[in-house]
Amino acid sequence: MDATAIIALVSAVIKAAVDLGPTVIKGVDDATPFAKAIFDDLINKKVISADDLASLEAKLAALEAEALAPLPPEQADDI
Amino acid sequence: MFKASFRALSIVLAVGLALSAGACGGGTLGGKLGDIAVNGVANPISNTRFATIESAYGLALAGANTYIANYRKGNRCTVTAQESITNPCSRRSVVTAMQGGIKDAQKALGKARSLLINNPQLDPSELLDAAQAAVDALTGLVQKS
């Protein structure tokens, strides 16, 4: 993924956060560790520990579980 | 909301500055993945690429989760009440598409991760390309939402 795409993706997260009011803080907080990982990897050349990597992957797993939880029943006027 | 937006903008600027400075590739996040590999020779280039793809997936996932959470809270777009500045709702059709995109990315990343850890001597390019494509597809859904 190139620089333009990464910036566009971070902007998309911000846009989703700004547009959706009360969920904004959680959305940005969820994105922060991943944006930081990209930043640390590319600019700081930081040696990420096994614990840091495990923490990122645990965060991914937690977000996936939230996102993929069953939805409320569909309603007739849903689009 | 302003405080959260300011923090988010700081992240964008930081990532943007980092990338524009030409500090691309050669990171060590992926190298550490190689150090964790149980068998075989570590492949830092592939591992770095994988770690970058996974981090980008995390960003897309955070955005998708925000949109999906909005739907769960009852902010549904309907036939008579579609999205607008005063109605930041979520469409069920987009929510289910995002869930499908997340599952596709999960599978693709899982295959690439498994190969990198268990068979680091093999060429993971095809699986990494597939993982990248799945993450790009999810990214596209988030950006359009």
Side-chain angles (χ1 to χ4, degrees):
Chain A
M1 181 175 279
D2 64 16
T4 306
I6 291 177
I7 291 170
L9 184 47
V10 176
S11 297
V13 171
I14 294 166
K15 176 182 177 301
V18 170
D19 287 349
L20 299 176
T23 53
V24 64
I25 292 171
K26 183 180 182 313
V28 173
D29 281 352
D30 284 344
T32 299
F34 303 110
K36 185 176 181 303
I38 294 172
F39 179 81
D40 279 344
D41 182 44
L42 294 178
I43 192 65
N44 286 339
K45 304 291 192 281
K46 181 186 168 192
V47 175
I48 303 295
S49 67
D51 284 349
D52 286 342
L53 197 54
S55 172
L56 273 179
E57 299 220 321
K59 185 86 184 162
L60 279 177
L63 284 175
E64 282 169 348
E66 258 184 69
L68 296 177
L71 297 174
E74 185 172 6
Q75 298 186 41
D77 58 350
D78 266 317
I79 53 173
Chain B
M1 190 194 303
F2 289 110
K3 185 177 174 187
S5 295
F6 178 76
R7 282 179 57 204
L9 284 169
S10 298
I11 295 167
V12 171
L13 287 172
V15 174
L17 282 170
L19 297 169
S20 64
C24 298
T28 54
L29 173 62
K32 208 55 196 170
L33 185 62
D35 293 342
I36 294 166
V38 176
N39 301 307
V41 178
N43 185 339
I45 294 174
S46 295
N47 291 341
T48 297
R49 188 178 167 207
F50 176 77
T52 305
I53 294 170
E54 205 170 45
S55 296
Y57 169 59
L59 288 176
L61 183 57
N65 201 28
T66 301
Y67 188 87
I68 295 169
N70 190 52
Y71 180 85
R72 288 187 206 282
K73 286 179 191 215
N75 298 325
R76 305 178 301 122
C77 296
T78 65
V79 175
T80 53
Q82 297 187 25
E83 52 275 92
S84 67
I85 292 171
T86 54
N87 184 33
C89 57
S90 294
R91 292 181 177 235
R92 187 180 181 95
S93 56
V94 175
V95 166
T96 53
M98 284 179 174
Q99 288 185 320
I102 291 167
K103 287 176 189 168
D104 289 345
Q106 254 184 338
K107 282 183 204 158
L109 284 164
K111 284 182 185 173
R113 185 186 297 115
S114 180
L115 186 73
L116 285 167
I117 289 176
N118 298 320
N119 299 96
Q121 73 281 8
L122 298 179
D123 180 2
S125 305
E126 205 173 298
L127 291 182
L128 287 174
D129 287 346
Q132 181 73 70
V135 171
D136 287 349
L138 180 61
T139 301
L141 287 172
V142 173
Q143 288 175 328
K144 275 190 258 182
S145 68

